[in-house]
């Protein structure tokens, strides 16, 4: 049997991949700093790569607000880094921890966008028929009396 899964190209792998051991090392160096306000560029770039890489996952790539999802995930992951939420002594993989944080932020953004879209749709359903009758009498809008006549 052949493996039907496609392998990532090395260029794509290098662009988005963050080695867990390197990430753990960067986090431990950051946690040891006295000035915890300034996040090192390498650590910030690693967090950005995680969010960007996840955004190209087949579950998220086709959303028009994909960059908003990445932005939300970055904010949440940077907050987690500054608050030192990842426990180095836990023995877990920091890459998977931050990927999970990003994943749930992506899901939250999708839920927010869905609520916004539903609110817009409800507004349109309620107000557009009235506006169409008031503003332009030449526009045909199927009225409820026409529906009863057809039955």
């Amino acid at each position: 049997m052949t493996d039907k899964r496609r392998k990532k190209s090395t260029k794509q792998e290098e662009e988005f991949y963050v080695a867990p051991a390197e990430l753990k090392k960067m986090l431990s160096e950051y946690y040891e700093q006295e000035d915890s306000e300034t996040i090192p560029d390498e650590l910030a770039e690693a967090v950005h790569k995680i969010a960007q890489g996840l955004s190209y996952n087949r579950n998220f790539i086709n959303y028009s607000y994909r960059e908003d999802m990445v932005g939300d995930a970055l904010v949440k992951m940077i907050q987690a880094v500054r608050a030192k939420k990842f426990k180095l002594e836990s023995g877990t993989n920091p890459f998977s921890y931050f990927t999970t944080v990003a994943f749930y932020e992506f899901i939250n953004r999708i839920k927010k966008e869905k609520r916004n879209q539903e609110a817009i749709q409800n507004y349109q359903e309620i107000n557009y028929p009235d506006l169409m009758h008031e503003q332009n009498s030449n526009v045909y809008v199927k009225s409820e009396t026409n529906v009863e006549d057809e039955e």
Side-chain angles (χ1 to χ4, degrees):
M1 288 205 320
T2 60
D3 190 8
K4 293 183 180 182
R5 291 180 286 168
R6 281 195 255 165
K7 292 185 179 181
K8 288 183 183 179
S9 68
T10 56
K11 182 181 178 184
Q12 186 179 11
E13 202 170 275
E14 290 172 6
E15 188 176 353
F16 297 117
Y17 186 72
V18 177
E22 291 177 22
L23 182 59
K24 194 168 194 171
K25 181 183 172 200
M26 288 187 273
L27 284 168
S28 67
E29 289 172 0
Y30 174 73
Y31 287 179
E32 291 171 0
Q33 288 180 356
E34 292 185 24
D35 176 29
S36 62
E37 283 297 311
T38 306
I39 295 176
D41 291 340
E42 297 84 21
L43 181 56
E45 186 178 330
V47 168
H48 183 261
K49 282 183 178 181
I50 291 171
Q52 276 296 116
L54 184 62
S55 75
Y56 286 102
N57 184 304
R58 64 185 172 93
N59 296 336
F60 305 116
I61 196 163
N62 290 326
Y63 286 101
S64 60
Y65 42 87
R66 187 173 56 85
E67 290 188 15
D68 294 334
M69 294 189 300
V70 170
D72 290 348
L74 283 173
V75 168
K76 197 64 154 182
M77 289 190 291
I78 294 296
Q79 286 175 347
V81 168
R82 283 195 173 139
K84 300 178 181 177
K85 290 196 175 188
F86 178 74
K87 303 298 179 207
L88 294 170
E89 59 277 348
S90 68
T92 58
N93 183 349
F95 180 83
S96 63
Y97 173 81
F98 286 103
T99 301
T100 303
V101 170
F103 178 84
Y104 284 111
E105 279 307 304
F106 283 16
I107 298 299
N108 287 339
R109 170 54 70 175
I110 292 169
K111 288 178 183 178
K112 286 177 193 174
E113 293 292 335
K114 186 176 179 182
R115 280 193 304 267
N116 289 343
Q117 190 62 33
E118 287 174 354
I120 290 169
Q121 192 172 11
N122 289 339
Y123 174 81
Q124 289 173 343
E125 288 174 0
I126 293 169
N127 294 318
Y128 277 22
D130 295 337
L131 292 172
M132 293 299 284
H133 286 295
E134 290 173 10
Q135 292 178 356
N136 190 352
S137 60
N138 294 332
V139 175
Y140 177 74
V141 178
K142 196 173 195 178
S143 67
E144 292 177 17
T145 55
N146 290 345
V147 173
E148 291 172 0
D149 292 340
E150 290 177 0
E151 293 176 357

